[in-house]
Amino acid sequence: MSNQLNIFIVSDSVGETGEYMLHAVLSQFPNITDDEINIVKYTFIDTIEKLEPVLTLAKTKNAIVITTLVCPELNQFGQMFKEKENLTVIDYMSPLMRGIENHSGKTAVLESGAVRRLDRAYFRRIEAMEFAVKYDDGKNFDGIEEADAIIIGVSRTSKTPLTMFLANKGYKIANIPLVHEVNLPKEIYEFNHLPIFGLTASPEYILNIRKKRMEVLGLSDSTKYVSLSKIKEELSYAEEVFRQVNATVISTEFRSIEESAHYIEKHLKHYVDF
């Protein structure tokens, strides 16, 4: 196809950054179909000897060249080739790196593939989210020792929202409800290496939260679940358990999830090494 748009992505790593940028730009051209575009990716281009033939081919194909190279010498060569051969070469990395260096006073490490280290943090968050779902509200205890921490507390003390918030930061958290009539699994008393956080609040605060929850669900508020005396019993039992497992106690009353998470995260930094 004579009017086909040829685009070369040239990277000193696997080319993910260039692909992301290209697809973001192409989304602004909905009238350009896939049949009209030919995208070729050249990866691990880390020497001039590898770069020059790619640029030469781009010249013959009248291609747009997108580079995500961190090496100054390679970028300089690309710009020289661009001027000499009237080739469209778009260097995504250098201008932004220079701008950040100028404003921050810091020097770029110029390390190929550094973005892939950030991907590891992403996959850790995904793993932590899956862990949080699996061990939410005491649904599972098999393998719970792999947690970074355990959260315990009576109903409506924000165990699940706090667990998910911390999981989004990469922490594997299991949360277990404290029910007076149900014994905690014996493993909880055996995990001396795991930090345990006990969530609590005043009886009146929990009562109000539970009543609102019942209203949302369209259920009657005449059950023990919304009995003030029952809630006081639960909290008394919770305090006993907190002492037994040496839990760090946090009041979630009128405290945002972010505030509680920040408090827990400060403690976890002594236990968890990302």
Side-chain angles (χ1 to χ4, degrees):
M1 187 180 294
S2 59
N3 62 342
Q4 189 173 49
L5 180 61
N6 292 303
I7 302 177
F8 288 7
I9 298 174
V10 182
S11 171
D12 49 20
S13 185
V14 297
E16 293 173 338
T17 303
E19 280 189 298
Y20 294 152
M21 295 296 293
L22 174 58
H23 288 300
V25 172
L26 286 176
S27 69
Q28 302 301 314
F29 296 90
N31 292 331
I32 298 179
T33 66
D34 291 343
D35 292 338
E36 297 176 282
I37 307 174
N38 177 43
I39 300 172
V40 184
K41 189 164 64 171
Y42 296 89
T43 59
F44 301 104
I45 304 298
D46 52 7
T47 65
I48 291 177
E49 288 73 22
K50 293 179 181 179
L51 178 59
E52 186 172 13
V54 174
L55 296 179
T56 300
L57 180 61
K59 172 64 178 178
T60 63
K61 297 285 187 179
N62 191 31
I64 297 172
V65 179
I66 296 170
T67 68
T68 55
L69 305 168
V70 297
C71 176
E73 288 77 12
L74 292 181
N75 284 314
Q76 184 178 20
F77 180 84
Q79 292 304 307
M80 289 173 56
F81 195 102
K82 167 186 175 180
E83 298 297 330
K84 179 180 178 182
E85 302 293 342
N86 194 28
L87 180 67
T88 300
V89 178
I90 301 168
D91 173 9
Y92 273 141
M93 300 289 283
S94 300
L96 183 55
M97 283 196 297
R98 284 196 299 269
I100 292 175
E101 285 180 334
N102 292 338
H103 281 263
S104 69
K106 308 290 185 179
T107 302
V109 295
L110 300 179
E111 180 182 344
S112 299
V115 71
R116 301 182 74 186
R117 291 203 313 273
L118 299 180
D119 288 342
R120 288 200 293 270
Y122 167 78
F123 288 115
R124 179 181 175 86
R125 290 198 300 274
I126 296 298
E127 186 179 355
M129 294 289 284
E130 292 174 346
F131 188 92
V133 171
K134 181 178 180 180
Y135 295 98
D136 179 46
D137 213 25
K139 289 187 298 191
N140 195 352
F141 296 107
D142 184 30
I144 198 174
E145 68 276 3
E146 296 179 9
D148 293 320
I150 295 174
I151 289 176
I152 57 177
V154 303
S155 177
R156 299 296 108 190
T157 50
S158 301
K159 296 185 300 298
T160 295
L162 188 52
T163 296
M164 300 306 293
F165 187 92
L166 288 166
N168 194 48
K169 287 177 167 283
Y171 294 101
K172 293 181 180 179
I173 309 293
N175 78 77
I176 302 172
L178 295 180
V179 182
H180 199 181
E181 299 81 6
V182 181
N183 293 327
L184 278 174
K186 59 180 176 56
E187 290 85 356
I188 298 302
Y189 300 94
E190 298 172 355
F191 296 153
N192 297 325
H193 66 289
L194 287 180
I196 299 177
F197 298 92
L199 306 186
T200 190
S202 71
E204 294 76 15
Y205 178 83
I206 293 176
L207 176 64
N208 184 49
I209 297 295
R210 289 186 181 182
K211 282 185 174 181
K212 291 181 179 179
R213 176 64 172 170
M214 298 294 277
E215 290 176 5
V216 169
L217 296 176
L219 301 174
S220 170
D221 62 359
S222 61
T223 65
K224 290 183 178 180
Y225 184 70
V226 287
S227 164
L228 186 60
S229 60
K230 177 64 174 175
I231 293 173
K232 289 180 179 179
E233 288 180 13
E234 292 180 38
L235 289 172
S236 178
Y237 168 66
E239 290 177 4
E240 179 184 343
V241 173
F242 294 161
R243 287 193 297 270
Q244 291 173 355
V245 299
N246 194 30
T248 300
V249 181
I250 303 171
S251 173
T252 58
E253 186 166 353
F254 302 117
R255 177 179 279 174
S256 69
I257 297 299
E258 290 84 354
E259 289 175 303
S260 298
H262 179 69
Y263 184 84
I264 290 176
E265 195 171 8
K266 285 198 300 183
H267 285 266
L268 286 180
K269 290 186 183 299
H270 299 294
Y271 297 90
V272 183
D273 183 14
F274 283 0

